[in-house]
């Protein structure tokens, strides 16, 4: 990425621990009153998605933080999205309003009811222009279906159903039915002491509505076909790479846990992210990945300290570009990595206020493991593990990416003339 459109900050007052959704308008999300200008992004809308709750039966506090957001395909002028915290999924409608009706028969202009005896003539309401308003309304609330914390939601390609996954179960929902869901995966053992793995992520196939995958904390991926049986406890395909005995260590199980799984846009490949690597799997080959990319292999010597400060449990996401030729994922020190699948070249870039002024060119960064450090390199001992990029997104058709670094959102795009 060559051009940068710096961190976006809302001028609205926010309260501690409040969670809002912010939309930086791409061309398709631009207000109809303002023409799109490439390279400039403003906050489109901000609204509170979830409120803190308390489960009195289990004495459990449910935070308002958002775990996942998923867009639905646009069918009309409004936008629809799913958002979830640990327990509740909500379907939101985001719409614009730039006209208001005036001239009601039974109400005055302030909205008060008029005295019926004073109404002597019939008036036809008319639409008057007004300042653009962006309204967010919850259309559906899907609650009370998960015992454990929700870690994934995925919209099906039939656009009628979606699934939500927690540590031990995956539920299938219909968008029109909020009071019941169908349990399609249940890995909870009869005796919880026999529990050996948990579900970490799940996603539907982009084209086949009967197929989905889910990953586990053991580093395995299961592909399931809902045509086979109603309960998909028996997988259709099982993807696992045998562990190299020479790399076996105390931390092997932890770092092999998959934090994210993504189908390619073509539906032919699956990408998974564990703590140190990104792997690409071919759906037709289950025994090993066809590509493995080292994200930050220099951290192998730091696993002990990363375990002590709990960073080793961080859940990094990964994304494809629109043509499935480049993949991107985050790292520490506000670094994010890109890997070109065709040329096998990779680059490390940094998202920070210092080097991300509008239209500034991002310079590749390098991490020095030991020995003499060059001027443009940073030592692995100097990395800031409190600055991490867990969430990234790639525009479906253009070279525009969004990178979330702690409390800042950075939008980068290819070089603008």
């Amino acid at each position: 990425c060559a051009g940068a459109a710096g961190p976006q900050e809302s001028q609205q007052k926010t309260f501690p621990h409040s969670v809002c959704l912010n939309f930086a308008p791409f061309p398709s999300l631009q207000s109809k009153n303002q023409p799109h200008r490439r390279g400039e992004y403003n906050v489109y809308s901000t609204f509170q998605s979830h409120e803190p709750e308390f489960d009195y039966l289990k004495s459990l506090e449910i935070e308002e933080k958002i775990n996942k957001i998923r867009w639905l395909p646009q069918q009309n002028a409004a936008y629809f999205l799913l958002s979830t915290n640990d327990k509740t999924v909500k379907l939101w409608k985001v719409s614009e309003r730039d006209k208001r009706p005036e001239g009601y028969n039974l109400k005055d202009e302030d909205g008060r009811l008029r005295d019926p005896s004073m109404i002597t003539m019939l008036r036809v309401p008319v639409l008057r222009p007004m300042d653009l308003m962006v309204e967010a309304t919850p259309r559906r609330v899907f609650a009370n279906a998960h015992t454990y914390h929700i870690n994934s939601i995925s919209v099906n390609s039939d656009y009628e159903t979606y699934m939500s996954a927690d540590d031990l179960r995956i539920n299938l929902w219909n968008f029109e039915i909020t009071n019941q869901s169908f349990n399609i995966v249940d890995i909870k053992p009869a005796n919880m002491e026999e529990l050996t793995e948990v579900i970490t992520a799940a996603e539907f196939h982009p084209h086949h509505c009967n197929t989905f995958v889910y990953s586990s904390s053991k580093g395995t991926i299961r592909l399931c076909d809902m045509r086979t049986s109603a309960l998909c406890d028996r997988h259709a395909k099982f993807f696992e790479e045998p562990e190299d005995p020479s790399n076996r260590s105390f931390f092997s199980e932890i770092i092999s846990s998959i934090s994210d799984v993504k189908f390619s846009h073509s539906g032919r490949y699956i990408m998974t992210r564990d703590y140190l690597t990104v792997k690409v799997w071919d759906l037709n080959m289950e025994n090993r990945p066809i590509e493995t990319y080292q994200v930050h292999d220099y951290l192998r010597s730091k696993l002990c300290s990363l375990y002590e400060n709990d960073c080793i449990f961080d859940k990094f996401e990964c994304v494809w570009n629109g043509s499935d030729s480049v993949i991107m994922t985050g790292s520490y020190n506000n670094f994010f990595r890109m890997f070109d699948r065709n040329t096998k070249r990779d680059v490390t870039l940094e998202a920070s206020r210092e080097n991300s002024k509008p239209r500034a060119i991002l310079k590749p960064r390098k991490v020095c493991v030991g020995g003499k450090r060059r001027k443009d390199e940073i030592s692995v001992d100097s990395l800031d593990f409190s600055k991490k990029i867990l969430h990234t997104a790639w525009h479906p058709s253009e070279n525009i990416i969004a990178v979330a670094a702690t409390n800042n959102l950075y939008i980068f795009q290819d070089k603008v003339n």
Side-chain angles (χ1 to χ4, degrees):
C1 283
Q8 304 298 309
E9 294 184 285
S10 172
Q11 300 300 318
Q12 300 175 358
K13 184 177 180 181
T14 56
F15 298 94
H17 309 297
S18 68
V19 181
C20 301
L21 300 181
N22 293 281
F23 306 95
F26 292 126
S28 60
L29 268 181
Q30 185 70 343
S31 161
K32 51 192 171 188
N33 290 349
Q34 300 171 346
H36 171 70
R37 288 186 291 176
R38 185 174 171 83
E40 295 186 11
Y41 299 88
N42 298 303
V43 174
Y44 178 72
S45 176
T46 303
F47 61 90
Q48 184 83 18
S49 178
H50 288 75
E51 302 287 346
E53 303 172 52
F54 191 81
D55 187 334
Y56 292 97
L57 290 176
K58 299 178 181 177
S59 296
L60 183 69
E61 186 177 356
I62 304 171
E63 295 182 62
E64 68 271 39
K65 68 181 180 69
I66 298 172
N67 292 342
K68 293 290 178 181
I69 301 170
R70 289 292 178 263
W71 289 96
L72 274 66
Q74 190 174 352
Q75 306 292 336
N76 50 39
Y79 310 106
F80 287 87
L81 61 92
L82 287 171
S83 66
T84 182
N85 64 354
D86 287 339
K87 299 293 182 182
T88 304
V89 183
K90 292 185 179 182
L91 174 66
W92 288 91
K93 177 184 178 182
V94 182
S95 56
E96 296 181 350
R97 188 153 60 94
D98 61 358
K99 293 183 177 64
R100 66 163 176 250
E102 290 183 0
Y104 285 104
N105 289 288
L106 302 179
K107 295 179 182 177
D108 59 23
E109 301 307 326
D110 296 327
R112 293 188 295 263
L113 289 174
R114 298 171 62 191
D115 184 355
S117 62
M118 301 296 292
I119 301 175
T120 58
M121 57 181 289
L122 181 66
R123 294 194 298 175
V124 178
V126 295
L127 294 175
R128 303 284 187 197
M130 59 175 283
D131 292 338
L132 180 71
M133 285 183 58
V134 180
E135 299 177 321
T137 53
R139 300 304 300 271
R140 303 279 190 278
V141 178
F142 307 89
N144 305 320
H146 285 276
T147 305
Y148 307 96
H149 292 176
I150 298 172
N151 56 46
S152 298
I153 48 176
S154 179
V155 180
N156 201 347
S157 58
D158 61 11
Y159 305 141
E160 294 181 359
T161 57
Y162 77 93
M163 67 177 174
S164 56
D166 63 27
D167 289 346
L168 299 179
R169 296 188 179 100
I170 300 177
N171 293 333
L172 182 68
W173 299 83
N174 187 295
F175 280 112
E176 300 301 322
I177 303 172
T178 60
N179 61 351
Q180 68 179 52
S181 61
F182 191 82
N183 180 225
I184 54 176
V185 172
D186 187 349
I187 66 168
K188 183 180 179 181
N191 182 1
M192 284 296 280
E193 292 181 0
E194 298 173 3
L195 182 67
T196 58
E197 62 181 335
V198 296
I199 298 168
T200 55
E203 186 175 69
F204 269 119
H205 191 281
H207 310 305
H208 305 311
C209 61
N210 55 282
T211 308
F212 67 93
V213 295
Y214 68 92
S215 58
S216 84
S217 56
K218 277 193 169 182
T220 61
I221 310 108
R222 292 171 174 84
L223 184 140
C224 300
D225 189 338
M226 291 191 289
R227 296 173 300 184
T228 305
S229 64
L231 190 61
C232 300
D233 284 351
R234 295 181 64 181
H235 48 266
K237 291 191 174 184
F238 182 76
F239 301 86
E240 182 179 27
E241 183 179 26
E243 185 185 12
D244 184 355
S246 62
N247 289 333
R248 180 75 185 172
S249 72
F250 172 78
F251 305 105
S252 293
E253 268 191 44
I254 301 174
I255 64 175
S256 66
S257 176
I258 294 174
S259 58
D260 196 17
V261 58
K262 292 278 174 61
F263 271 106
S264 62
H265 295 87
S266 66
R268 171 71 186 273
Y269 304 103
I270 305 171
M271 173 171 56
T272 59
R273 170 70 205 263
D274 55 43
Y275 191 67
L276 295 179
T277 66
V278 172
K279 296 174 182 176
V280 177
W281 303 76
D282 190 318
L283 286 186
N284 298 322
M285 191 166 75
E286 303 172 51
N287 60 336
R288 61 184 176 85
I290 58 171
E291 300 163 26
T292 300
Y293 301 97
Q294 300 293 334
V295 179
H296 37 217
D297 200 47
Y298 46 79
L299 294 183
R300 283 191 186 275
S301 61
K302 299 283 183 184
L303 291 179
C304 188
S305 57
L306 289 167
Y307 177 80
E308 290 173 354
N309 62 17
D310 283 345
C311 283
I312 201 169
F313 302 106
D314 287 335
K315 301 184 185 302
F316 293 95
E317 296 177 0
C318 52
V319 291
W320 303 86
N321 72 336
S323 61
D324 298 332
S325 61
V326 183
I327 57 183
M328 175 175 62
T329 190
S331 181
Y332 293 104
N333 208 69
N334 280 356
F335 289 168
F336 58 98
R337 303 268 283 142
M338 288 184 172
F339 304 94
D340 190 310
R341 299 181 60 210
N342 298 323
T343 64
K344 304 303 178 186
R345 292 193 303 175
D346 63 90
V347 64
T348 301
L349 301 171
E350 182 181 6
S352 66
R353 287 174 174 270
E354 291 73 26
N355 62 4
S356 299
K357 295 177 182 177
R359 305 193 186 282
I361 293 179
L362 288 182
K363 295 179 180 179
R365 302 300 304 270
K366 289 186 178 181
V367 177
C368 171
V369 178
K372 193 172 183 181
R373 183 171 64 89
R374 294 182 181 178
K375 183 180 179 182
D376 58 342
E377 292 182 338
I378 181 171
S379 169
V380 67
D381 297 319
S382 303
L383 296 176
D384 188 344
F385 295 107
S386 65
K387 295 179 179 178
K388 60 193 80 172
I389 293 177
L390 302 179
H391 312 290
T392 56
W394 205 308
H395 193 284
S397 58
E398 297 187 47
N399 270 335
I400 302 174
I401 60 172
V403 176
T406 317
N407 59 347
N408 287 317
L409 172 66
Y410 297 86
I411 297 177
F412 302 104
Q413 63 188 42
D414 55 359
K415 191 171 183 180
V416 181
N417 293 327

